[in-house]
């Protein structure tokens, strides 16, 4: 059918593979050698003596704690998202109320609010609430800012459920909560995994909220740890890059297993 | 209220059914938790930022009303004016670099061969990483003493990319493109898949080659995707922050001090939260104007292209 061997784009795609692949290769190669070897071989050279020492050093140097904090933030954010977004999307799709429609528009507007725009008042609110330098103070705004995208994705999925199914349940006299539990949730599994992956990614990679809302080592998340590490020990390149790899491992694992959910969510679940 | 509305709707379709059927529609209560949460942590701060921009606050005591002080100082501030221009320049360069690459890659990836799926999976990786990880990685790779420039002097000269404005801006554009091209590729991939095959068949019968098909069918059909993608690049570009903080710290001098970074500097380094808020509000206003355009152009409000524009 589609007989368009786009030579130009095909060649470009190979160039891009190089652009994407080379930095990732140098990243991995650098972390597997000692500082002396790295200095001798250079970033583009082949590693001679492989070692995992850089990773062990990082974990000893506090990255274990940062890792744990990031896990706490991520799990909490996902829990909040999964608790509030499905009912929201259900209401958006099925309710005929004007208030719900208004709420939906609010979330659409929220898509365009950058976190930087509210970071000063967020600092004010979180400080006044006594949550400064507390992981809860990071979790709440992070979750709030992943709501618009998640709501949009899940609403798109729920919109695809055919009206006949709702009507069938209505004939049985099912209340909204039964429709929600027995029809909507099971049929939105794909969308639920998408928003799980998506909000987890946001939380795991979050930087600005932790940067501004926390201070001490006990509340430090892994992205902040990277930033600190760079400013303090920027000379130890293999150690620094090993920390980068550590911060990526869970994401890459999730990607390996949930690629479909993520890509489809981004590409347009309901757009087909 | 909901019940009456719903009953009305149901009667319209099936006159026979009674009020019992209408109960299956959820009310606003279902949307309430998410809405309250979102209002508290996104909308209230958005209102507060406007209020704070008219106050003097050092972060410790209470904010004091300061009238238009912050605003008038802001517009006399050469660094602030420069930062706005830099934000726009970086955004424009980002659009100029990323759009052609992602259109080509997206159209290519829309094909069906297996190697495309594998390559697309690899391309996606940079997008998964935090801006922090990406910036730290590139900072190390481009380090004048230990990085690639030290090895490839023929290409980089004395190698200190971060020491000149051109070099620093180049690095920021490169790193931004490295991370976000995959995302825009995805938008174009989805859009290219949606182009009706009939158009290509008709063109092939008329004897149009690949290149002509690309310019006369694919590109016009991608119009909406291009609009969406460019607008997202603009919003993203205007609010770039992490990359600048880690890669250039706004330097050399103030040569890469873009507005979002300037806001952070003012507020959290200079403890001038009033001025910081004013800068932030400026960013919001720009973003809000663009978001209105997004909603209008992409059809979000009509729920036609649900996630195309994420």
């Amino acid at each position: 059918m589609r007989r368009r061997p786009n030579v130009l784009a095909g060649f470009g795609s190979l160039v891009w593979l190089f652009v994407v692949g080379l930095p990732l290769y140098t990243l991995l190669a650098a972390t597997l050698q000692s500082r002396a070897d790295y200095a001798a071989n250079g970033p583009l050279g082949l590693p001679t003596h492989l070692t995992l020492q850089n990773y062990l050093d990082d974990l000893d140097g506090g990255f274990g704690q940062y890792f744990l904090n990031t896990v706490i933030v991520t799990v909490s954010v996902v829990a909040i998202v999964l608790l509030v977004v499905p009912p929201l999307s259900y209401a958006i799709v099925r309710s005929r109320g004007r208030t719900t429609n208004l709420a939906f528009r609010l979330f659409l507007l929220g898509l365009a609010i950058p976190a930087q725009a509210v970071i000063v008042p967020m600092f004010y609110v979180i400080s006044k609430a006594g949550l400064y330098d507390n992981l809860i103070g990071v979790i709440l705004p992070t979750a709030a800012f992943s709501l618009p995208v998640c709501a949009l994705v899940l609403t798109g999925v729920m919109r695809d459920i055919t009206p006949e199914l709702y009507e069938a349940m209505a004939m049985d006299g099912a209340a909204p909560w039964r429709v929600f539990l027995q029809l909507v949730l099971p049929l939105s599994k794909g969308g639920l995994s998408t928003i799980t992956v998506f909000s987890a990614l946001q939380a795991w990679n979050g930087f600005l909220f932790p940067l501004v809302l926390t201070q001490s080592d006990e509340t430090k998340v892994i992205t902040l740890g990277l930033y600190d590490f760079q400013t303090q020990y920027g000379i130890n390149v293999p150690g620094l890059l090993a920390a980068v790899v550590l911060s990526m491992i869970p994401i890459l694992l999730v990607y390996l297993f949930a690629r479909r959910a993520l890509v489809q969510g981004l590409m347009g679940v309901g757009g087909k | 209220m909901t019940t009456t509305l719903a009953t009305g709707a149901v009667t319209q379709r099936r006159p026979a059914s009674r009020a019992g059927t209408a109960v299956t529609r959820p009310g606003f209560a279902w949307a309430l938790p998410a809405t309250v949460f979102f209002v508290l942590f996104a909308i209230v701060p958005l209102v507060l930022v406007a209020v704070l921009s008219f106050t003097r606050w050092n972060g410790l005591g209470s904010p004091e009303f300061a009238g238009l002080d912050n605003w008038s100082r802001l517009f006399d501030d050469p660094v602030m004016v420069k930062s706005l221009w830099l934000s726009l320049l970086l955004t424009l360069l980002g659009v100029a670099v990323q759009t052609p690459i992602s259109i080509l890659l997206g159209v290519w990836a829309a094909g069906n061969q297996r190697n495309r799926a594998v390559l697309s999976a690899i391309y996606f990786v940079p997008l998964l990483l935090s801006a922090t990880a990406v910036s730290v990685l590139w900072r190390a790779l481009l380090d004048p003493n230990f990085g690639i420039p030290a090895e490839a002097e023929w290409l980089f000269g004395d190698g200190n990319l971060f020491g000149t404005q051109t070099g620093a801006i180049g690095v920021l554009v490169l790193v931004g493109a490295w991370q976000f091209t995959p995302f825009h590729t995805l938008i174009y991939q989805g859009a290219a898949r949606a182009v009706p095959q009939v158009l290509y068949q008709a063109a092939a019968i008329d004897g149009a080659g690949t290149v002509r098909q690309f310019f006369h069918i694919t590109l016009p059909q991608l119009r909406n995707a291009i609009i969406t993608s460019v607008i997202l690049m603009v919003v993203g570009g205007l609010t770039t922050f992490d990359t600048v903080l880690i890669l250039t710290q706004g330097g050399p001098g103030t040569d890469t001090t873009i507005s979002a970074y300037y806001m952070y500097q003012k507020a959290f380094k200079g403890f001038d939260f009033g001025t910081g808020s004013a800068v932030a509000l400026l960013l919001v206003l720009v973003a809000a104007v663009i978001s209105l355009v997004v909603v209008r152009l992409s059809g979000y409000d009509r729920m036609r292209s649900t996630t195309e524009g994420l």
Side-chain angles (χ1 to χ4, degrees):
Chain A
M1 256 301 197
R2 171 179 301 219
R3 31 164 242 91
R4 302 181 291 138
N6 198 334
V7 181
L8 186 61
F11 176 72
S13 72
L14 285 180
V15 174
W16 194 253
L17 180 66
F18 185 73
V19 172
V20 172
L22 189 71
L24 294 177
Y25 162 76
T26 50
L27 168 66
L28 207 61
T31 61
L32 294 173
Q33 23 188 339
S34 69
R35 275 177 71 177
D37 281 353
Y38 179 75
N41 295 333
L44 299 174
L46 288 169
T48 35
H49 309 287
L50 297 183
T51 168
L52 286 177
Q53 197 56 45
N54 296 310
Y55 292 94
L56 299 175
D57 289 349
D58 284 346
L59 289 174
D60 279 346
F63 263 79
Q65 172 75 44
Y66 307 160
F67 213 85
L68 185 69
N69 289 336
T70 311
V71 171
I72 294 173
V73 171
T74 305
V75 170
S76 317
V77 167
V78 171
I80 293 176
V81 165
L82 285 182
L83 211 64
V84 302
V85 173
L88 169 75
S89 295
Y90 174 48
I92 290 172
V93 171
R94 289 296 290 169
S95 165
R96 290 265 164 90
R98 275 184 58 195
T99 331
T100 315
N101 196 17
L102 223 66
F104 185 43
R105 280 169 180 273
L106 194 69
F107 282 99
L108 289 180
L109 182 78
L111 280 175
I113 304 177
Q116 288 94 331
V118 297
I119 195 64
V120 172
M122 195 68 81
F123 174 71
Y124 179 77
V125 170
I126 294 290
S127 309
K128 290 287 170 197
L131 292 172
Y132 180 73
D133 204 23
N134 183 328
L135 284 181
I136 297 173
V138 175
I139 292 165
L140 295 176
T142 307
F145 271 79
S146 45
L147 288 188
V149 171
C150 291
L152 203 67
V153 169
L154 200 61
T155 306
V157 172
M158 287 185 184
R159 234 167 247 275
D160 283 350
I161 300 174
T162 51
E164 286 78 22
L165 290 172
Y166 288 111
E167 277 164 26
M169 288 211 79
M171 300 271 249
D172 291 349
W177 61 268
R178 251 192 72 199
V179 177
F180 180 68
L181 289 180
Q182 294 183 353
L183 176 73
V184 177
L185 280 189
L187 286 182
S188 316
K189 266 190 199 136
L192 290 175
S193 45
T194 301
I195 64 170
T196 303
V197 172
F198 200 85
S199 53
L201 207 63
Q202 297 262 87
W204 189 273
N205 286 339
F207 177 71
L208 187 63
F209 288 133
L211 174 71
V212 168
L213 301 175
T214 68
Q215 180 179 39
S216 62
D217 249 15
E218 288 74 48
T219 53
K220 195 163 281 174
V221 295
I222 204 158
T223 46
L224 270 192
L226 278 183
Y227 174 56
D228 276 12
F229 198 4
Q230 143 142 332
T231 34
Q232 287 163 24
Y233 316 100
I235 302 284
N236 179 5
V237 179
L240 178 64
L241 292 182
V244 171
V245 174
L246 281 178
S247 78
M248 291 162 41
I249 288 175
I251 296 175
L252 293 178
L253 284 180
V254 169
Y255 182 51
L256 218 59
F257 291 108
R259 198 181 94 77
R260 214 178 179 79
L262 186 67
V263 173
Q264 291 216 328
L266 285 168
M267 245 171 86
V269 195
K272 289 168 289 164
Chain B
M1 180 190 75
T2 325
T3 328
T4 13
L5 276 174
T7 322
V10 170
T11 7
Q12 217 174 22
R13 239 184 297 153
R14 280 186 318 199
S17 66
R18 293 184 332 117
T21 328
V23 183
T24 52
R25 286 196 184 278
F28 175 64
W30 287 78
L32 198 62
T35 310
V36 168
F37 187 58
F38 187 66
V39 166
L40 271 180
F41 285 97
I43 306 297
V44 167
L46 197 61
V47 176
L48 263 182
V49 79
V51 176
L52 284 173
S53 76
F54 296 102
T55 65
R56 217 172 282 122
W57 184 44
N58 62 10
L60 290 173
S62 291
E64 284 166 39
F65 185 68
L68 287 169
D69 268 17
N70 299 325
W71 288 97
S72 59
R73 267 190 293 121
L74 212 54
F75 287 109
D76 290 336
D77 181 351
V79 183
M80 173 61 208
V81 176
K82 185 177 167 188
S83 80
L84 272 179
W85 283 118
L86 281 170
S87 300
L88 290 175
L89 175 71
L90 269 174
T91 307
L92 279 178
L93 286 174
V95 172
V97 170
Q98 291 174 44
T99 305
I101 302 179
S102 45
I103 289 182
L104 282 180
L105 282 175
V107 170
W108 173 83
N112 289 320
Q113 287 93 324
R114 252 202 36 240
N115 61 344
R116 300 185 189 206
V118 175
L119 285 183
S120 315
I122 298 174
Y123 295 159
F124 204 74
V125 169
L127 188 60
L128 298 169
L129 312 182
S130 60
T132 326
V134 169
S135 309
V136 169
L137 165 63
W138 278 98
R139 174 93 209 179
L141 285 180
L142 297 175
D143 186 286
N145 301 313
F146 305 99
I148 295 173
E151 286 192 17
E153 277 175 24
W154 52 272
L155 185 61
F156 293 95
D158 75 335
N160 191 3
L161 285 173
F162 299 100
T164 64
Q165 182 175 33
T166 320
I169 287 180
V171 169
L172 290 173
V173 172
L174 168 84
V175 172
W178 191 77
Q179 192 178 13
F180 292 112
T181 300
F183 171 68
H184 298 279
T185 301
L186 214 58
I187 294 181
Y188 290 118
Q189 188 183 344
R193 286 230 172 105
V195 179
Q197 289 301 306
V198 193
L199 296 177
Y200 293 111
Q201 287 154 9
I205 291 168
D206 289 348
T210 319
V211 176
R212 279 194 61 191
Q213 289 186 13
F214 177 76
F215 283 104
H216 287 95
I217 301 171
T218 314
L219 222 45
Q221 288 279 320
L222 292 181
R223 198 182 134 266
N224 283 335
I226 294 175
I227 294 170
T228 312
S229 155
V230 166
I231 290 171
L232 287 170
M233 282 179 194
V234 171
V235 177
L238 286 178
T239 54
T240 308
F241 170 76
D242 325 33
T243 334
V244 173
L245 176 68
I246 293 168
L247 281 168
T248 67
Q249 288 89 45
T254 55
D255 280 351
T256 56
T257 300
I258 57 166
S259 297
Y261 182 72
Y262 192 54
M263 181 265 298
Y264 172 77
Q265 282 278 313
K266 276 281 176 199
F268 296 97
K269 295 290 160 198
F271 301 104
D272 181 354
F273 287 87
T275 312
S277 299
V279 181
L281 193 59
L282 259 182
L283 275 175
V284 180
L285 291 178
V286 176
V289 168
I290 293 172
S291 94
L292 281 178
V293 179
V294 172
V295 170
R296 281 281 160 256
L297 291 184
S298 68
Y300 277 155
D301 50 348
R302 278 160 286 135
M303 275 311 290
R304 285 235 312 271
S305 55
T306 37
T307 47
E308 183 185 38
L310 293 186

